[in-house]
């Protein structure tokens, strides 16, 4: 399954709605969820995924620069 934390559509509520509610990616297997959830629910899902993406980014520890010793 794709990891939605890295989806470019998260940056735009309209793009996310087009995919989740309008079925813009139905040809790729992502059907519309309009019959199952409301537009507000879809936005809540987007907000949750955005929060998870931010948390994942914050949890990344940058690799030491070339030639730097690891702390310890």
């Amino acid at each position: 399954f794709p990891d939605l934390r890295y989806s470019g559509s998260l940056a735009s509520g309209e793009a996310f709605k087009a995919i989740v509610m309008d079925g813009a990616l139905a040809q790729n297997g992502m059907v519309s969820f309009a019959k199952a959830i409301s537009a507000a629910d879809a936005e809540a899902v987007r907000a949750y995924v955005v929060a998870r993406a931010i948390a994942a980014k914050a949890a990344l520890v940058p690799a030491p620069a070339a030639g730097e010793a690891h702390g310890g």
Side-chain angles (χ1 to χ4, degrees):
F1 298 106
D3 190 336
L4 296 180
R5 294 176 301 170
Y6 302 100
S7 172
S9 67
L10 289 179
S12 166
E14 286 301 313
F16 194 81
K17 178 188 169 293
I19 294 167
V20 175
M21 300 301 288
D22 302 335
L25 295 181
Q27 73 279 5
N28 295 340
M30 179 63 185
V31 299
S32 168
F33 283 84
K35 291 182 179 179
I37 64 174
S38 69
D41 291 337
E43 181 55 27
V45 169
R46 185 177 81 87
Y48 172 78
V49 177
V50 166
R52 300 306 308 150
I54 291 168
K57 185 176 180 181
L60 291 177
V61 176
E68 276 187 29
H70 291 287

